Amino acid sequence: NAGVTQTPKFQVLKTGQSMTLQCAQDMNHEYMSWYRQDPGMGLRLIHYSVGAGITDQGEVPNGYNVSRSTTEDFPLRLLSAAPSQTSVYFCASSYRRGRQETQYFGPGTRLLVL
Amino acid sequence: EDQVTQSPEALRLQEGESSSLNCSYTVSGLRGLFWYRQDPGKGPEFLFTLYSAGEEKEKERLKATLTKKESFLHITAPKPEDSATYLCAVQATNNFNKFYFGSGTKLNVKP
C-alpha cells in the first residue's frame, strides 16, 4: 500500500492564480480530509468528505473547493490564490470501525503564494 | 467552542530524563482524543486514540493517559530519536467528522 499520497510536494503561485492539490489513498477509506498547517497554529481543517459525492466544510473553508468523485481521490482547489494561503497542506484519510478511528496523513504540499 | 491547548510549547530533555507532555481540551462531548508524532518536513504519524477517562495506551517509551479535561503523553527514558513535535487532537461526539488540533509540543532529546 502506498498509503496517502500528495502532489505536488512544493508549489509557487502568483496571487490570483488557481491550482489543484492532488490527494489519493489506496486503503479504501471513506473519510478523507484536508488541513493546513501554519506556524504556531496547529492543523486546521479545511474540508472533509465522508464518501464519494459527499463533502462538507471544516474550520477554514474560504478560498478552497473540493469534490469527491471516487473513493480514492480528494483534490483541493484554490480558486484565486492569495498570500494568506501560503502554508503546508496535508491530506488525510481515516480507517473507521465502530468507534475506533485511525487517521493517516500524507507527506504534505508546501505552497508559497507571492 | 471546541478547543485544544498543548503545553509546553517546547521541551528539552537529556537522554534518559523522563517527562510528560500535556493536552488540555474543551469539547462538548469527547468521542476520541488522538496523539500524533510529526517529524520535520513530514506529515503527522498516528500514535494513539483514547476514548474514555481513565484509559491508558502504551507504545515503546510512550504512554498516553486521559482524564475528563486533559491527556498526558508520558515519555520514559527518552532517546534522541524521540525528538519530534507531538500533536494532540480531539473529536467531538456532536460532529465526529471534525478534528481540532493543538499547536503541538516540540521535543528535543539530547544525547
Side-chain angles (χ1 to χ4, degrees):
Chain A
N1 284 355
V4 179
T5 58
Q6 292 183 238
T7 57
K9 291 184 178 179
F10 182 71
Q11 183 72 45
V12 179
L13 289 179
K14 293 182 180 178
T15 296
Q17 287 185 316
S18 62
M19 80 161 293
T20 299
L21 280 63
Q22 301 292 344
C23 174
Q25 52 94 7
D26 61 358
M27 297 173 281
N28 201 33
H29 292 164
E30 292 295 328
Y31 179 87
M32 296 184 73
S33 53
W34 275 102
Y35 294 87
R36 60 178 290 171
Q37 187 173 38
D38 302 295
M41 297 194 71
L43 287 150
R44 291 183 292 168
L45 183 64
I46 304 171
H47 285 286
Y48 65 89
S49 169
V50 296
I54 308 169
T55 64
D56 205 346
Q57 297 181 352
E59 277 184 272
V60 289
N62 292 342
Y64 307 95
N65 273 2
V66 292
S67 60
R68 183 103 177 265
S69 56
T70 67
T71 299
E72 294 78 21
D73 300 300
F74 190 41
L76 178 72
R77 295 183 190 83
L78 280 69
L79 307 173
S80 177
S84 60
Q85 293 179 305
T86 293
S87 188
V88 182
Y89 292 85
F90 290 101
C91 178
S93 73
S94 283
Y95 167 82
R96 288 180 165 176
R97 187 167 199 166
R99 202 179 168 194
Q100 182 184 355
E101 179 147 11
T102 305
Q103 195 168 67
Y104 299 90
F105 282 82
T109 294
R110 294 181 175 274
L111 178 66
L112 174 63
V113 183
L114 302 174
Chain B
E1 181 179 307
D2 299 333
Q3 194 171 339
V4 179
T5 304
Q6 290 188 248
S7 61
E9 288 185 14
L11 182 61
R12 300 178 82 176
L13 298 174
Q14 288 295 130
E15 183 172 1
E17 179 187 3
S18 302
S19 188
S20 296
L21 283 55
N22 177 264
C23 171
S24 349
Y25 62 90
T26 304
V27 67
S28 50
L30 182 70
R31 185 173 189 262
L33 186 140
F34 301 78
W35 281 100
Y36 299 86
R37 170 193 171 121
Q38 186 175 26
D39 293 302
K42 301 204 172 173
E45 176 188 346
F46 172 80
L47 291 173
F48 307 107
T49 311
L50 301 168
Y51 298 99
S52 305
E55 189 175 359
E56 299 182 351
K57 288 194 176 173
E58 288 187 67
K59 180 179 180 179
E60 297 180 0
R61 295 175 293 282
L62 301 176
K63 179 180 177 180
T65 62
L66 179 65
T67 72
K68 288 188 177 180
K69 292 185 178 180
E70 57 191 350
S71 177
F72 292 95
L73 186 64
H74 308 277
I75 304 177
T76 302
K79 298 182 177 181
E81 53 262 41
D82 295 322
S83 297
T85 296
Y86 291 86
L87 304 172
C88 164
V90 298
Q91 182 187 38
T93 52
N94 62 354
N95 188 344
F96 56 86
N97 291 315
K98 292 188 176 181
F99 294 81
Y100 297 91
F101 279 79
S103 53
T105 293
K106 187 173 182 179
L107 175 65
N108 183 13
V109 181
K110 293 193 156 190

